[in-house]
Amino acid sequence: MTKSTLDLARARLKAYVDKDRTAIEALLADDYHFSSPIDNELDRATYVRRCWPNSEKTNSFDEVIATEDGSRAVIVYEAAAAGGAQVS
């Protein structure tokens, strides 16, 4: 069974919490692009280099809103970091 775009996005968040670099690498297609309020259309290599180090301080993600439209998924979340800090 093929996973939905939203399922894949959720699996990537889980890889951060689990600190599983192998999982995140397997979940990112060669043509993967990532956007956020501070990043616009990062390619796969830039995303891994810039974003993956955050996994070391990420303890959890709590979804606020999640939606998908074809090959795009959007998840608004609150992240809990080591030491109890919270980032939205």
Side-chain angles (χ1 to χ4, degrees):
M1 178 178 209
T2 303
K3 288 188 173 190
S4 72
T5 303
L6 189 54
D7 289 338
L8 292 170
R10 287 176 173 139
R12 286 190 288 272
L13 294 178
K14 183 177 181 334
Y16 273 79
V17 172
D18 294 345
K19 319 298 185 254
D20 190 343
R21 176 72 182 251
T22 301
I24 197 76
E25 292 279 354
L27 290 163
L28 300 176
D30 290 340
D31 63 350
Y32 177 77
H33 285 86
F34 173 82
S35 293
S36 76
I38 59 173
D39 298 303
N40 188 30
E41 291 292 314
L42 299 182
D43 64 18
R44 185 186 197 279
T46 304
Y47 169 79
V48 172
R49 185 179 70 252
R50 185 181 296 173
C51 300
W52 180 251
N54 292 318
S55 68
E56 289 304 315
K57 55 188 172 192
T58 302
N59 290 340
S60 67
F61 291 100
D62 293 317
E63 280 187 24
V64 176
I65 299 169
T67 189
E68 69 181 319
D69 181 18
S71 64
R72 295 182 185 263
V74 175
I75 300 177
V76 177
Y77 59 79
E78 292 182 345
Q86 195 169 36
V87 180
S88 296

